Amino acid sequence: MSFIMAENQEELVMWPRLVTKKILGERLRSNNNFVADFPSNAEASSLLDNSSLGSPSLSENNILNQRKHNFQNYKIFISTWNVGGIAPQDDLDIADWLDTPNNMCDIYVFGFQEIVPLRASYVLGSENSKISVKWNSLIREALNKKIQHCLEKQQYNNKLGRKQKTAEDDKAIFESSIPEGFRCVISKQMVGILISVWIRSDLRPYVRHPRASCVGCGIMGYLGNKGSVSVRFQLHETSFCFVCSHLASGGREGDEKHRKSDVAEIFSRTSFPRGPSFDLPRKILDHDRVILLGDLNYRISLPEATTRLLVDRKEWNALLENDQLRMELMSGQVFEGWREGLIKFAPTYKYCLNSNVYFGCVEGQKGGKWRAPAWCDRIIWYGEGLQQRLYTRGESNLSDHRPVKAIFTAQVQVSSTLKGLQKFFLSERFDQITTKFDQMSSSDKFRCRDRSSNCKKIH
């Protein structure tokens, strides 16, 4: 009898976990239902897929010779922001945060946490994509703002009857860098976590195999109120993986163990398809260039009063010596081989809303979770071929967190075949050919006109 009761108790404990796994499993099967400006089967629609460049008549040695690689550098903008469940206003302008076009990058990666309040209705209910659509609209507008301004100015001049562009107009369009603007490669949401990746339109043909993978580490270890959304793609011959995470919260002693457990789960459970040739990386650390961003929730292992005193004095080094993530990176356990840039900015959490004052510093303040200042919002990277150029925070007071951004230079392998094509298309020889072609086309048009007029005369 006691055995039966014990067995029933075990079932009572286990069945919510099984139900949770089933519910979340159904959601995560739709990993690749991501949002993008072009079809998800990008490898099929890619204009310059390497597999289609070779000629069947080439020998194996010649094919191998043509696969020699060169390297190109690309600039990547990374941003993470916990927006605390607050929807962005329609007039929110993030152009200053991007600093375009003064610091134009080739790839932009935006990671958000808590884009919706982490209430049960959002965690257990169907995905609410309205807020993610709004964020993506703001990103699109900010990235293409200068280009749009140039086009509007040109339209205005046309209305005034100024058919020819002035030198100033030409300069403005040239300075906009990319006339076609930026396009969304992949955008994926899991509950409150959103990652959105944008790329220069002229690089679009070289992007292949975009995929997403979601891992829930929240309630019962599976729900998506905490966890990660990872996205990967291949640019030319180099694979990229960006991981947007929201790890376990808590500033008590021992809470960092939950964060370490979340990281281990994310690394082990994140998985991507092998691809049509079964040669694509499946796990996060298998990729060539890996960047992890998000509200990692690591705190400072000091008494609260000491932490606040050191923050007031801006003694960042003393605080960083006791920063849990820094200690984790040095210990090389779950974050073995990972690196982070030098932090020279104030802790990003926790602020009073619509204020530049840390929570708990105002006399008579009541309500909310009591949290000492900490660098919760971080950007770290893994592997070679990445060099950080910038690591700083923003000052928007939309939420109780401050946004953090970084700029990297990434080395990308480009096959000699593609390199040769690029050089050819940009060469004077190509210009001469196209000029001759245009002249031939013009003469053909005149011939057609003559023929049509003769036809009319005959009839």
Side-chain angles (χ1 to χ4, degrees):
M1 183 69 178
S2 60
F3 172 76
I4 295 172
M5 286 180 65
E7 191 177 53
N8 288 339
Q9 285 176 353
E10 187 176 345
E11 287 179 1
L12 286 172
V13 172
M14 288 297 295
W15 79 261
R17 292 179 178 270
L18 295 172
V19 171
T20 304
K21 282 185 182 180
K22 183 170 179 60
I23 293 171
L24 192 64
E26 292 295 329
R27 267 193 200 171
L28 299 188
R29 285 190 191 101
S30 63
N31 269 349
N32 291 313
N33 294 335
F34 53 80
V35 176
D37 282 341
F38 47 86
S40 60
N41 59 336
E43 56 268 26
S45 60
S46 177
L47 300 177
L48 289 174
D49 191 340
N50 292 351
S51 61
S52 64
L53 290 173
S55 170
S57 61
L58 292 175
S59 67
E60 184 177 351
N61 289 334
N62 287 336
I63 292 172
L64 289 173
N65 289 335
Q66 286 205 357
R67 299 286 289 183
K68 291 179 181 177
H69 292 100
N70 299 284
F71 287 92
Q72 285 185 193
N73 287 330
Y74 290 94
K75 285 176 69 177
I76 304 177
F77 174 98
I78 309 287
S79 176
T80 178
W81 194 5
N82 184 323
V83 293
I86 300 171
Q89 297 177 348
D90 294 333
D91 59 351
L92 180 65
D93 188 358
I94 61 173
D96 290 341
W97 175 237
L98 304 181
D99 194 25
T100 52
N102 297 325
N103 209 353
M104 187 71 78
C105 293
D106 304 296
I107 301 170
Y108 286 82
V109 181
F110 300 87
F112 299 93
Q113 304 82 43
E114 294 190 47
I115 64 167
V116 296
L118 299 183
R119 297 195 296 264
S121 58
Y122 286 101
V123 176
L124 298 172
S126 58
E127 210 84 83
N128 184 352
S129 62
K130 290 182 180 179
I131 304 300
S132 62
V133 169
K134 198 168 186 178
W135 277 112
N136 279 328
S137 297
L138 289 170
I139 292 168
R140 186 187 301 276
E141 182 181 355
L143 285 175
N144 297 296
K145 191 173 184 179
K146 185 172 178 64
I147 299 162
Q148 186 179 358
H149 173 72
C150 293
L151 293 173
E152 287 175 354
K153 186 176 180 181
Q154 190 176 9
Q155 291 172 359
Y156 177 73
N157 289 338
N158 290 338
K159 285 182 181 180
L160 293 178
R162 294 161 61 182
K163 296 182 180 179
Q164 292 185 347
K165 294 194 296 287
T166 65
E168 185 181 350
D169 293 331
D170 285 332
K171 183 181 178 183
I173 293 171
F174 176 77
E175 286 178 349
S176 67
S177 181
I178 309 300
E180 295 181 39
F182 288 82
R183 297 292 179 265
C184 182
V185 175
I186 181 169
S187 178
K188 180 67 178 177
Q189 176 187 357
M190 179 185 73
V191 189
I193 302 173
L194 169 67
I195 187 168
S196 188
V197 182
W198 298 69
I199 197 165
R200 280 172 28 202
S201 293
D202 61 325
L203 291 177
R204 151 71 185 94
Y206 307 104
V207 174
R208 295 173 294 149
H209 312 296
R211 290 292 182 268
S213 179
C214 300
V215 172
C217 299
I219 301 169
M220 298 182 186
Y222 285 93
L223 289 181
N225 57 307
K226 293 289 190 294
S228 69
V229 180
S230 302
V231 296
R232 77 97 188 272
F233 60 85
Q234 191 166 335
L235 176 60
H236 292 295
E237 301 296 309
T238 299
S239 59
F240 285 84
C241 183
F242 301 101
V243 184
C244 183
S245 302
H246 193 185
L247 305 183
S249 61
R252 296 178 181 176
E253 186 178 351
D255 283 341
E256 66 271 20
K257 292 180 181 177
H258 298 299
R259 293 185 270 277
K260 183 187 291 188
S261 175
D262 285 354
V263 173
E265 286 289 303
I266 289 166
F267 287 165
S268 65
R269 287 164 51 194
T270 299
S271 181
F272 300 100
R274 281 288 192 191
S277 304
F278 302 100
D279 58 351
L280 295 174
R282 290 191 68 243
K283 310 302 288 183
I284 290 172
L285 301 183
D286 294 337
H287 292 79
D288 298 316
R289 314 284 181 260
V290 184
I291 298 178
L292 187 149
L293 55 141
D295 179 2
L296 307 187
N297 256 321
Y298 282 97
R299 309 304 168 92
I300 298 167
S301 296
L302 288 173
E304 183 179 330
T306 305
T307 299
R308 291 186 186 277
L309 179 63
L310 291 172
V311 168
D312 290 340
R313 294 177 178 176
K314 298 184 179 181
E315 295 185 17
W316 309 143
N317 289 336
L319 289 165
L320 286 167
E321 288 174 1
N322 296 277
D323 176 78
Q324 292 173 357
L325 179 57
R326 280 295 170 100
M327 290 189 285
E328 195 67 59
L329 290 168
M330 286 189 291
S331 70
Q333 295 181 21
V334 291
F335 282 122
E336 183 180 359
W338 288 81
R339 286 175 283 176
E340 183 181 28
L342 187 62
I343 292 178
K344 295 182 179 180
F345 50 86
T348 56
Y349 175 82
K350 171 180 171 80
Y351 282 90
C352 300
L353 292 180
N354 300 312
S355 169
N356 293 321
V357 178
Y358 286 107
F359 194 87
C361 292
V362 179
E363 291 185 12
Q365 192 176 51
K366 295 180 180 180
K369 296 178 181 178
W370 199 262
R371 294 286 185 260
W375 285 282
C376 289
D377 311 279
R378 312 287 276 269
I379 298 170
I380 60 177
W381 73 94
Y382 177 86
E384 301 301 322
L386 287 169
Q387 190 169 10
Q388 193 177 72
R389 302 294 185 184
L390 176 74
Y391 195 26
T392 187
R393 59 168 256 176
E395 300 305 327
S396 173
N397 56 12
L398 177 72
S399 77
D400 54 355
H401 289 252
R402 293 294 180 265
V404 170
K405 70 178 177 182
I407 292 179
F408 292 87
T409 299
Q411 261 192 352
V412 174
Q413 285 188 343
V414 181
S415 70
S416 57
T417 308
L418 285 176
K419 196 82 172 176
L421 283 171
Q422 287 176 321
K423 287 181 179 178
F424 173 70
F425 286 132
L426 295 173
S427 67
E428 291 182 8
R429 186 184 169 196
F430 179 71
D431 289 339
Q432 292 170 0
I433 293 171
T434 53
T435 303
K436 288 181 180 179
F437 180 78
D438 289 339
Q439 290 173 352
M440 290 173 62
S441 300
S442 299
S443 61
D444 287 341
K445 288 178 183 177
F446 286 123
R447 286 174 188 170
C448 290
R449 287 177 185 173
D450 291 340
R451 287 175 184 172
S452 61
S453 61
N454 290 334
C455 289
K456 286 179 182 178
K457 288 178 182 178
I458 291 171
H459 289 291

